[in-house]
Amino acid sequence: MAIRTQPVTVNLGPQHPSTHGVFRMRVMFDGEEIVDVEPVFGYLHRGSEKLAEERTYTQIVTLTDRMDYVSSMLNNQAYILAVEKLAGIEPSPRGVWLRMIASELQRIASHLVATGFLLQDLGALGTPLIYAMRERENILDMFEMLCGARITNSYLRPGGVFMDAPSEFWPALDRGLNDIVNTIDELETYLSGNEIVFSRTKGTAVLPKELLINASITGPMLRASGVDWDLRHRAPYDYYDRISFERKLHTASDNYARYWVRVQEARESVKIIRQCIEQIEPGEVRPSFDDVPRLIRPPVGDAYAAIEGSKGELGFYLVSDGGIAPYRMHVRASSLINLTLLRDMLIGGQFGDLFVTFGSVDLNMGEVDR
Amino acid sequence: MIGLGLPRGFMVTLKNFLRPAVTEQYPDRHVGLIGAAKAAGMNPFQFLVKKPADSMKAIAGLATVPVAVKQSARFRGNEFTFFEDRCTACASCAKYCPLGIIEIVSVPGKIDAQEGESYKLDVFDIDIGRCMFCGLCVEACPYDALHMGTSFERSRYVRDELIITKEDLFDAPKRPSSFYRPQFEEKGFDPFAETIEDFHDAGRHERPSDEDLKRKWVDER
Ligand code: SF4
Ligand code: SF4
C-alpha cells in the first residue's frame, strides 16, 4: 500500500554545515523525493570585482586569493595570466615553472578537499575527511615555505612569482609527492571498491553530455561525462605544452564518475609536478623592476585569460583604460556556472542524495558569490 | 570485487589507527610525569621529590606544557619588525597597501642628513585589525626598514588595541620573517631562535650598486 504524501517546502541553509559555505536552497519534497529546488545565493558577496576597480594590478592578486579560498594559487595564476596578456609582459621561465608547481599542488589540495567532503556528505563522518585533510596539510606547509601563507597565498606577481623557493622546499616537495601518491592509493583502496560508496553514488544525479555542454559546464564534471576538454591540453597556457599528461575520462557522468575523475586528476598532477621539477632551470623568478614595474599601466584594451582550475574553466577578463587600475574586471567563476545544473541534478532524486550531489559539484561559495 | 571492498577499507582504517597521530595540540600539550620533569629541567626522581604536588598533577594527566608551533621562516605574521633608523618616511608602504591601513605623518628633519634622517617619522600606525598580512608593504619598502614578523598571537578584546603605533613597532621583538628578504635566508637566520637588534645586521635586499646608481642618475640624464 502506497503511503499518501503531500509536498512540503523545506528551507536549507544558508547556515547549514553541509552547504559548503553560505548557500540556501528552497527544496520541495514529496515524501522522500525532491520535486523542486530553488537555489538562493549571494550571502558571501564581497564585491571583489568592484573592489578591483580601485586597486592596482598587483594589489588585486590579494583579492583573487579570497575568491575560491581552497584554490588560491589557481586563482592567482588565472589572474596573472590575464594581466600578462593585457600588459604584454614576458614572464621569467623559472617563475613560470614555480607557479605551475604551486598551482598543481593546489589542484591536488582542492581535489582532496572535494573528495573528503563528499565522503562527509555521504555520512562517513570525520575519518575519511581527516585522511584527506592530513595530506592537504602537508601541501599547505609547502605553501608556507614558498610564500609565508597557507591559504591566502598571493604568491604570484605579474611576470612570475615574488621569491624563489627556499632550499628546504625541494626535499619537502619530494617527500610530499610520495606521500600524496600513497594517500591517493589508500583513498582508492577504501573508496573505489567500497560497496556503500557504490550504492550511494553510482547512478545518482546523471547528467547527459549534451546538457553539460549546453550549460557550458567545465572541469571534472564535464570530463566525468566523457568529453575530453581540458584547457591544459586544448589551449596550453604557461608551459603545459612541454608537459605530457593523460586526461582521465569517465563516461557514467554520475556522482561516482565525478569523484573518480578528481582522484585520477590528482594522480596526474603528481606526474606533472615531477616533470616540472625535471625541467626547471635556475634563473630569475620575475622580470626586473625596470621591465615590469610595481605600478603597471597596460595599454587601453581588454584581455581574457583562462586556466583549467580545480573546478573548471577559471577565467579573468580585464579591461584597461590606460590607468593603474583596471576599468572593469570580470571573473568567469567555474563554481557558479557549474551550479546552474543543480535543479536538473536534484529533481527526481532522493532526499538522502541531496547533499551528496551538491558536494559532487565541488563548489566553493567564495567563488560563487565573489 | 564486490564483497571485498569493506574489509579492505577497514584494513586501511586499522593501519591508520596504528600510525602515530598527526594532531597538534595548541596552545598547551598534556604531558605525563617524564614530560613535566623534562619541562622543569629535572629528572623524574628529582621532580617527584622536589615538587610532589606538581608530580601528582602530572601523574593524574593534568600537567601541560606550552607548544612551539612549527612555522616556516617566511611566515607572514603580525608583529611587524621595523628598523626606525632606516625608515625615511617615504610612505611607499602606505601607498602600496591594498587596504590603505598604514598611516604615516612625517616632519622635515635636518638639512644635510645621514641615511634615514632627512625626514622624521611622526606617526606610523598600522591597523592590523584590518590587515590581511599580504606583505605588499614589505615588498614596497625600498630601504628594507619594514619586515613581516613571525608571531601570530595577538588577539585582543578591543579593536583599538589592534592598531600598532610607532612606539609599539620600536619595542616589538625583532624577529623578522624572511618573507621578501632573501638576505636572511642566505645568512641562515632563524627568527624563532634569534633576534636582530641592530639594523646594520639586517643586510639589504637588492641594493643597487654604485655603478648602477651612477648610470641611472648621472649618465642617462
Ligand atoms: S600586510 Fe598587506 S594589508 Fe597588511 S599593512 Fe601590509 S600591505 Fe597592508
Ligand atoms: S617603512 Fe619603508 S616604505 Fe614605509 S615609510 Fe619607511 S622606508 Fe618608506
Side-chain angles (χ1 to χ4, degrees):
Chain A
M1 189 190 79
I3 304 172
R4 238 165 25 86
T5 54
Q6 62 181 40
V8 192
T9 308
V10 178
N11 180 53
L12 282 169
Q15 308 269 341
H16 192 283
S18 284
T19 54
H20 298 230
V22 275
F23 181 68
R24 186 174 153 215
M25 275 182 279
R26 226 177 278 138
V27 195
M28 196 187 271
F29 293 110
D30 190 356
E32 283 281 310
E33 199 186 314
I34 301 167
V35 234
D36 196 14
V37 183
E38 190 193 335
V40 187
F41 38 76
Y43 289 94
L44 205 54
H45 179 63
R46 291 150 297 171
S48 306
E49 290 177 4
K50 191 72 193 165
L51 287 173
E53 289 169 19
E54 50 185 48
R55 273 163 180 73
T56 66
Y57 286 92
T58 315
Q59 289 174 346
I60 296 171
V61 177
T62 61
L63 287 177
T64 64
D65 284 339
R66 286 153 179 82
M67 284 175 189
D68 180 354
Y69 39 76
V70 294
S71 62
S72 318
M73 285 286 188
L74 290 158
N75 296 2
N76 285 183
Q77 196 188 16
Y79 169 72
I80 290 297
L81 282 168
V83 175
E84 283 173 359
K85 205 165 166 186
L86 185 66
I89 295 169
E90 187 59 44
S92 296
R94 190 174 174 87
V96 174
W97 287 118
L98 276 172
R99 74 187 183 198
M100 277 169 70
I101 293 175
S103 56
E104 287 302 327
L105 280 175
Q106 183 76 78
R107 189 187 315 276
I108 299 171
S110 174
H111 284 339
L112 282 174
V113 171
T115 311
F117 277 100
L118 179 72
L119 291 156
Q120 175 99 338
D121 292 340
L122 275 171
L125 287 177
T127 314
L129 174 66
I130 296 297
Y131 292 171
M133 286 306 217
R134 184 179 61 197
E135 212 44 58
R136 175 174 179 256
E137 199 66 15
N138 286 344
I139 296 175
L140 297 189
D141 280 344
M142 283 182 229
F143 286 164
E144 194 184 313
M145 284 178 203
L146 275 179
C147 60
R150 298 159 65 81
I151 308 281
T152 51
N153 311 106
S154 302
Y155 183 41
L156 274 60
R157 295 285 179 270
V161 299
F162 65 69
M163 222 174 151
D164 204 345
S167 48
E168 76 259 26
F169 173 73
W170 301 107
L173 180 62
D174 227 30
R175 245 177 298 126
L177 289 182
N178 294 334
D179 286 353
I180 289 165
V181 175
N182 289 343
T183 304
I184 297 172
D185 283 343
E186 225 177 77
L187 203 73
E188 285 213 279
T189 318
Y190 68 83
L191 292 178
S192 300
N194 190 315
E195 291 82 7
I196 301 176
V197 175
F198 274 7
S199 60
R200 287 293 303 279
T201 55
K202 282 210 165 175
T204 52
V206 181
L207 286 171
K209 206 189 267 187
E210 292 72 28
L211 186 63
L212 284 163
I213 294 172
N214 285 345
S216 74
I217 306 287
T218 45
M221 259 180 103
L222 183 63
R223 286 192 289 276
S225 73
V227 183
D228 185 4
W229 183 262
D230 187 328
L231 285 182
R232 289 175 290 173
H233 163 67
R234 293 280 169 165
Y237 49 93
D238 280 352
Y239 293 154
Y240 278 104
D241 45 357
R242 306 188 198 172
I243 298 278
S244 66
F245 65 100
E246 279 174 62
R247 282 102 49 214
K248 296 287 185 176
L249 305 175
H250 202 288
T251 44
S253 194
D254 55 6
N255 285 343
Y256 181 79
R258 292 190 264 275
Y259 145 77
W260 187 87
V261 166
R262 285 202 183 95
V263 174
Q264 303 306 322
E265 256 181 40
R267 273 186 200 284
E268 288 305 311
S269 289
V270 174
K271 287 184 201 158
I272 295 177
I273 296 173
R274 291 229 165 96
Q275 292 178 39
C276 291
I277 298 174
E278 271 168 26
Q279 301 191 34
I280 191 166
E281 297 153 5
E284 287 294 311
V285 290
R286 55 159 294 163
S288 77
F289 284 112
D290 296 336
D291 299 336
V292 182
R294 291 205 167 93
L295 218 52
I296 305 169
R297 284 174 204 272
V300 180
D302 60 347
Y304 174 79
I307 65 160
E308 184 66 37
S310 56
K311 292 162 178 104
E313 175 180 343
L314 176 65
F316 277 76
Y317 177 65
L318 290 168
V319 184
S320 162
D321 57 357
I324 57 171
Y327 176 74
R328 172 84 168 94
M329 179 172 97
H330 174 73
V331 187
R332 186 210 186 271
S334 36
S335 299
L336 173 65
I337 293 168
N338 290 358
L339 194 59
T340 49
L341 284 190
L342 192 67
R343 285 192 83 205
D344 302 77
M345 292 167 85
L346 288 178
I347 290 181
Q350 296 285 305
F351 169 65
D353 293 336
L354 195 152
F355 283 120
V356 185
T357 307
F358 187 72
S360 82
V361 185
D362 184 19
L363 40 77
N364 181 294
M365 292 320 288
E367 192 181 14
V368 172
D369 296 339
R370 298 193 295 290
Chain B
M1 203 170 89
I2 299 294
L4 273 184
L6 282 183
R8 271 205 312 217
F10 282 125
M11 283 311 290
V12 173
T13 328
L14 187 68
K15 208 171 95 199
N16 277 287
F17 181 70
L18 299 173
R19 273 173 66 151
V22 290
T23 323
E24 300 223 2
Q25 307 284 334
Y26 178 81
D28 293 324
R29 179 165 55 89
H30 281 273
V31 285
L33 180 65
I34 299 174
K38 217 173 175 184
M42 308 177 203
N43 73 40
F45 297 108
Q46 275 176 330
F47 191 64
L48 259 175
V49 178
K50 288 201 183 136
K51 299 210 167 146
D54 285 352
S55 7
M56 282 305 121
K57 245 173 101 179
I59 290 169
L62 297 173
T64 54
V65 292
V67 178
V69 179
K70 194 174 111 268
Q71 280 168 276
S72 97
R74 273 190 200 177
F75 187 78
R76 307 201 296 248
N78 58 14
E79 202 75 74
F80 286 91
T81 301
F82 182 60
F83 294 113
E84 59 273 29
D85 299 327
R86 271 192 181 167
C87 179
T88 58
C90 67
S92 292
C93 49
K95 260 186 269 173
Y96 214 52
C97 175
L99 307 174
I101 58 174
I102 304 182
E103 185 185 349
I104 293 179
V105 178
S106 58
V107 289
K110 288 186 261 172
I111 305 249
D112 57 341
Q114 301 295 308
E115 182 178 333
E117 273 188 2
S118 50
Y119 268 87
K120 280 278 168 241
L121 265 185
D122 200 16
V123 177
F124 192 106
D125 287 356
I126 306 179
D127 181 1
I128 63 162
R130 281 155 58 202
C131 179
M132 54 185 172
F133 308 110
C134 58
L136 288 178
C137 49
V138 175
E139 250 184 82
C141 179
Y143 304 104
D144 285 17
L146 191 64
H147 305 260
M148 296 309 284
T150 40
S151 83
F152 54 90
E153 292 159 321
R154 206 193 162 89
S155 51
R156 298 284 185 275
Y157 286 109
V158 194
R159 279 197 85 107
D160 286 355
E161 290 176 11
L162 285 171
I163 298 178
I164 308 187
T165 62
K166 193 174 69 170
E167 287 72 33
D168 292 342
L169 282 171
F170 291 172
D171 300 340
K174 301 234 183 300
R175 295 185 187 278
S177 138
S178 54
F179 165 79
Y180 212 69
R181 298 283 180 258
Q183 72 266 28
F184 291 155
E185 263 166 29
E186 275 158 28
K187 266 202 309 192
F189 171 70
D190 177 10
F192 308 104
E194 325 158 45
T195 57
I196 296 183
E197 295 303 337
D198 188 355
F199 72 93
H200 290 105
D201 298 339
R204 285 288 291 271
H205 166 219
E206 281 180 3
R207 185 177 185 193
S209 67
D210 291 345
E211 291 90 74
D212 282 352
L213 286 175
K214 182 166 168 294
R215 181 174 50 78
K216 194 163 182 188
W217 298 110
V218 183
D219 301 349
E220 288 182 7
R221 290 250 150 167

